[in-house]
Amino acid sequence: MERPGFMASLVAGGIAGVSVDLILYPLDTIKTRLQSPQGFNKAGGFRGIYAGVPSAAIGSFPNAAAFFITYEYVKWFLHTDSSSYLMPVKHMLAASAGEVVACLIRVPSEVVKQRAQVSSSSRTFQIFSNVLYQEGIRGLYRGYTSTVLREIPFSLVQFPLWESLKALWSWRQDHVVDCWQSAVCGAFAGGFAAVVTTPLDVAKTRIMLAKVGSSTASGNVLSALHGVWRTQGLAGLFAGVFPRTAAISLGGFIFLGAYDQTRSLLLELGRGSP
């Protein structure tokens, strides 16, 4: 990938990620508390809905930047003809690779953030220190596998759908979609992907919040899903689906729209510079 494209993806992805995470943070807190083992009210209810926001703020830019650098690089590396029927496969592979890399940054941030969200009496740095003291670096990566197993199916749905909707809209109006149109496509794609992957998100939350040494803390996704199904049934597997879908739909609108807008602007600036 040419240098302007690489840098544009890094900066645009980072800006888009920070925008979404900070704007929609209260919805994320509500979703986490609905999914927590102790229940919504005991996890904090509607109180302190910005608990853990420093962790999200610190991890947001590098996490999103890492995803989009990888996503754009893999798309470029595979360089399938734009009219090829293999385009959705290329987008799926690129999105999956992006998630695997981004989760190296996302998971430690997510572990600290979610524990802060359900324990508003603890400060972010205190929670970070406790995890390191009790579990070491491995504790910060508890739930890495479950996060990847949530993010890859999500991206396999969201990104090919986003790219396909943009292509269809471009074809219908006979010119490339505007940034707001890209954002609308992103909202629809994100919302649909959020609904179908909610059980995996519930499993990831339970694993990250489980007590040290418990069977759930071992990170077995199927075991976590079975435990939720056994105690709470289908409703438990889809706990938090409404705030999650709302947050990701709005997030898809802001995130993918801001990404396209910022990347286009940076590429134009790159071409205009001597």
Side-chain angles (χ1 to χ4, degrees):
M1 183 180 294
E2 74 281 4
R3 183 179 174 83
F6 184 85
M7 290 303 298
S9 297
L10 187 152
V11 177
I15 290 173
V18 171
S19 301
V20 170
D21 286 346
L22 297 185
I23 292 171
L24 301 178
Y25 194 83
L27 283 173
D28 183 71
T29 300
I30 291 169
K31 182 268 301 181
T32 299
R33 291 174 179 177
L34 285 168
Q35 294 177 350
S36 66
Q38 65 262 53
F40 181 71
N41 289 327
K42 288 185 178 179
F46 290 102
R47 303 182 305 278
I49 55 175
Y50 278 95
V53 74
S55 177
I58 292 168
S60 183
F61 189 99
N63 162 45
F67 173 83
F68 273 109
I69 289 171
T70 309
Y71 180 68
E72 295 292 348
Y73 179 79
V74 173
K75 279 205 306 181
W76 168 82
F77 181 77
L78 296 174
H79 54 75
T80 310
D81 181 76
S82 59
S83 61
S84 171
Y85 64 92
L86 291 174
M87 281 294 286
V89 177
K90 181 177 83 167
H91 295 145
M92 288 179 181
L93 290 173
S96 298
E99 294 296 357
V100 170
V101 173
C103 281
L104 293 171
I105 300 168
R106 180 181 305 149
V107 170
S109 172
E110 188 88 351
V111 167
V112 175
K113 180 198 74 175
Q114 290 205 313
R115 293 190 188 187
Q117 285 174 327
V118 300
S119 178
S120 55
S121 61
S122 298
R123 295 184 177 181
T124 299
F125 183 74
Q126 182 184 344
I127 291 172
F128 173 76
S129 301
N130 288 343
V131 173
L132 278 180
Y133 178 74
Q134 294 174 6
E135 303 176 68
I137 295 294
R138 288 186 61 183
L140 291 174
Y141 281 93
R142 189 208 288 185
Y144 178 83
T145 302
S146 60
T147 304
V148 170
L149 289 176
R150 177 199 67 174
E151 295 296 352
I152 287 181
F154 182 89
S155 293
L156 291 182
V157 175
Q158 182 189 35
F159 279 87
L161 183 56
W162 177 52
E163 301 275 12
S164 298
L165 289 171
K166 288 196 299 177
L168 177 62
W169 204 333
S170 298
W171 175 74
R172 290 292 298 270
Q173 65 187 10
D174 202 27
H175 65 80
V176 177
V177 293
D178 297 324
C179 289
W180 71 268
Q181 293 170 326
S182 174
V184 171
C185 294
F188 181 83
F192 181 76
V195 172
V196 299
T197 59
T198 293
L200 292 171
D201 187 58
V202 171
K204 182 223 50 141
T205 299
R206 292 297 181 94
I207 288 168
M208 287 186 173
L209 297 180
K211 292 181 179 179
V212 180
S214 66
S215 59
T216 306
S218 66
N220 188 308
V221 176
L222 290 178
S223 175
L225 287 171
H226 179 68
V228 174
W229 170 261
R230 192 176 63 250
T231 56
Q232 296 176 274
L234 190 65
L237 291 176
F238 282 89
V241 65
F242 293 115
R244 172 171 160 79
T245 302
I248 291 178
S249 293
L250 288 169
F253 184 88
I254 300 167
F255 187 72
L256 298 175
Y259 173 73
D260 263 5
Q261 175 71 44
T262 308
R263 188 168 187 272
S264 298
L265 177 62
L266 292 172
L267 287 172
E268 275 187 38
L269 291 173
R271 282 191 288 266
S273 61

